[in-house]
Amino acid sequence: SAVCHHQFCCNRCLGTAYIGSKDSTWIKVKYIIMADNKVYKRILCVSDLHAPYNHPNSLEFIRRCKKAFKPDCVVNMGDELDFSASSYHESSTELYNPARELEEGKKVIKELEKMFPSMMLLDSNHGSMAFRKANTAGIAISLLKPYNEMLGVSKKWTWHNSITLNTPMGLVYFVHQQSSNVLQVCAAVSMNVVQAHYHTRACIHYTSSPEKLMWAMNTGCLIDKNHLAFKYSRVIVKRPILSLAVIENGIPRLIPMVLKRNGEWDGKVHL
């Protein structure tokens, strides 16, 4: 039978959605998270910082985008921290140890909190590493500190498995990663979709039915691709795309963080 399959915790479950079953059919379930009843006109999406291995200019880029768009809502799409030293994958001995990595990452998080004292964040494969490791070890989640306490941020930062927000053009579903085909997610939930996780994808697709027009967006990332933490990806021909996403009056936009040949940001918010 189909059940709510939130990994951690959420505020409340409303509405209907569809999840894939083992036989590749779609099952109707009631588990969409409606964050609130507001209608948001400018939503800023910050994606895949992987602190402390974020691009050196990423925080200033975010700061400039905030000034340019004046968002009334900010969604962190997940992987705010990298946790490479605690990963399930082999980690380089030349990187920080777990304690140092967390402390350096928290410095980035504190700067982000100064910009956005209130923020909704998505659970993610890297960002939620502490909970994933606890689950693997058979440790009850209730024995762990809340993420706010772990990272030293206020309770105005809230973590969610997925988020649904309302805009002037309808509902938007936010998730860190649900399918490599973001249009499939769009069809599954019958809503506009924003998805992260895939560093080499920053794109917007439109699809339509007899009833409505919908869009699905991948947000890119803000990593330092030259850092040793991402050495594993250097054999991949496609390169990471650094960008932020903005949803203005329900219409999606991608804001590329254009780099010069030396790898530094060109200092412009390309509107």
Side-chain angles (χ1 to χ4, degrees):
S1 60
V3 296
C4 173
H5 62 172
H6 296 156
Q7 297 175 26
F8 312 120
C9 61
C10 61
N11 289 342
R12 50 190 169 135
C13 299
L14 298 171
T16 60
Y18 297 82
I19 59 171
S21 68
K22 292 182 179 179
D23 62 357
S24 299
T25 59
W26 292 104
I27 302 173
K28 190 174 183 180
V29 294
K30 295 186 176 183
Y31 80 120
I32 290 180
I33 303 172
M34 298 294 295
D36 52 45
N37 296 319
K38 297 179 182 177
V39 177
Y40 292 99
K41 295 184 176 181
R42 292 179 302 280
I43 304 172
L44 180 66
C45 303
V46 178
S47 180
D48 290 73
L49 272 168
H50 286 262
Y53 311 124
N54 51 300
H55 190 281
N57 304 131
S58 58
L59 289 175
E60 182 57 28
F61 175 64
I62 295 170
R63 190 175 290 110
R64 292 275 298 278
C65 286
K66 176 191 176 185
K67 183 178 180 181
F69 293 101
K70 298 178 175 57
D72 53 8
C73 180
V74 182
V75 176
N76 191 307
M77 296 297 298
D79 282 359
E80 64 277 12
L81 292 168
D82 187 76
F83 285 114
S84 176
S86 304
S87 173
Y88 286 92
H89 303 291
E90 189 175 87
S91 180
S92 173
T93 56
E94 297 178 44
L95 292 173
Y96 295 135
N97 63 39
R100 176 69 185 281
E101 184 180 63
L102 179 58
E103 289 307 308
E104 294 298 320
K106 285 167 68 174
K107 293 176 183 177
V108 177
I109 293 299
K110 290 303 292 183
E111 289 300 311
L112 199 61
E113 186 186 25
K114 290 178 184 177
M115 281 187 265
F116 307 112
S118 178
M119 180 187 283
M120 288 181 282
L121 301 91
L122 289 168
D123 296 324
S124 54
N125 55 314
H126 283 267
S128 303
M129 188 65 70
F131 291 124
R132 293 176 63 205
K133 284 284 187 173
N135 187 63
T136 299
I139 298 172
I141 299 299
S142 59
L143 294 175
L144 300 183
K145 293 180 180 179
Y147 254 8
N148 306 75
E149 190 174 341
M150 285 187 198
L151 303 185
V153 297
S154 79
K155 292 183 179 180
K156 291 183 179 180
W157 276 30
T158 57
W159 277 261
H160 311 264
N161 184 257
S162 63
I163 302 166
T164 301
L165 300 176
N166 201 7
T167 74
M169 294 291 287
L171 298 177
V172 181
Y173 177 76
F174 300 81
V175 66
H176 178 71
Q177 186 268 333
Q178 196 159 314
S179 170
S180 60
N181 185 342
V182 70
L183 275 174
Q184 188 178 62
V185 183
C186 180
V189 297
S190 193
M191 286 185 288
N192 304 309
V193 170
V194 183
Q195 179 175 260
H197 183 71
Y198 299 98
H199 297 178
T200 61
R201 299 181 190 178
C203 50
I204 301 169
H205 304 276
Y206 279 88
T207 185
S208 64
S209 71
E211 294 185 356
K212 60 181 175 179
L213 176 71
M214 296 185 294
W215 51 263
M217 176 166 61
N218 284 106
T219 56
C221 65
L222 288 170
I223 67 169
D224 179 0
K225 66 180 180 63
N226 296 319
H227 199 283
L228 184 60
F230 304 106
K231 184 178 180 180
Y232 67 88
S233 68
R234 293 176 189 172
V235 297
I236 302 173
V237 175
K238 291 183 178 180
R239 308 313 299 150
I241 300 173
L242 275 61
S243 61
L244 286 179
V246 178
I247 304 167
E248 292 186 293
N249 293 311
I251 304 300
R253 294 181 61 183
L254 286 165
I255 313 302
M257 181 178 171
V258 178
L259 305 182
K260 296 184 286 188
R261 287 197 174 274
N262 63 3
E264 293 181 359
W265 175 40
D266 70 359
K268 301 176 183 177
V269 176
H270 295 270
L271 303 177

